[in-house]
Amino acid sequence: MNSIAQLRKNYTLGQLSETEVSADPLLLFQLWFDQAIKAQCPEPNSMTLATADAMGNPSARIVLLKGANQNGFTFFTNYESQKGKELAVRPQAALLFHWHELERQVRIKGKVERVTSAESDDYYHSRPPASRIGAWASPQSAEIPNREFLEEAEKRLKEKFGDAPPRPEHWGGYRLHPTDIEFWQGRPSRLHDRIHYRLDGGEWKITRLAP
């Protein structure tokens, strides 16, 4: 069996200069995101979401980005899930995108707040009916006795709501307002490019970090 310590790759696909990037990190993010789509990266909107509980214990999971603009980065979930409960007591989080095919990462930190009910309604009703029922059927992060518990709940709720379930009050969106964004481009010999944006007094300050 090969040693894990011997697994390595030399990164050669791109480069990133602090003198050439946009002054606005949201514009650079949109450019990279569009390039990830064009490169057919699997689920380019998948991202790691890291939160922490009241004691500072971290947890991370993969969620899907559902909006990115000057207002921030938006995702949706069950407000009563582990991440929802953690965001209620510590409304800060970190996001990580990894586009392996482009040898790129984007790290984002910031404050998190719930989106408006209207925004949650709009997205919820754009989902397939089965996904809307799933938001009702699953008590996300709670212990359940078996798989049948979910399947029975799904069946019962389909009979109750049909194809037009309303949005549960416990389900909706969050928006992360970034204060730090780092763009990472893999380079040869582990001398990677790391361009960091930090929000300072309403303006983005750009620096280069050592790899």
Side-chain angles (χ1 to χ4, degrees), residues 1-59:
M1 180 179 295
N2 293 329
S3 170
I4 293 176
Q6 298 306 311
L7 296 175
R8 59 176 53 87
K9 176 183 178 181
N10 201 33
Y11 300 100
T12 60
L13 294 182
Q15 59 186 10
L16 192 61
S17 171
E18 67 274 23
T19 63
E20 298 176 357
V21 297
S22 169
D24 185 342
L26 282 307
L27 294 179
L28 179 55
F29 177 85
Q30 189 62 60
L31 173 64
W32 275 27
F33 189 80
D34 291 344
Q35 291 173 346
I37 294 174
K38 185 176 181 179
Q40 298 184 327
C41 297
E43 290 199 288
N45 61 327
S46 63
M47 59 186 185
T48 300
L49 167 67
T51 57
D53 64 17
M55 300 298 293
N57 299 305
S59 58

Side-chain angles (χ1 to χ4, degrees), residues 8 16-17 29 34 46 52 65 81 100 106 120 134 143 147 163:
R8 59 176 53 87
L16 192 61
S17 171
F29 177 85
D34 291 344
S46 63
L65 177 72
S81 65
H100 177 269
V106 182
S120 291
E143 291 187 13
R147 174 74 188 184
D163 289 336

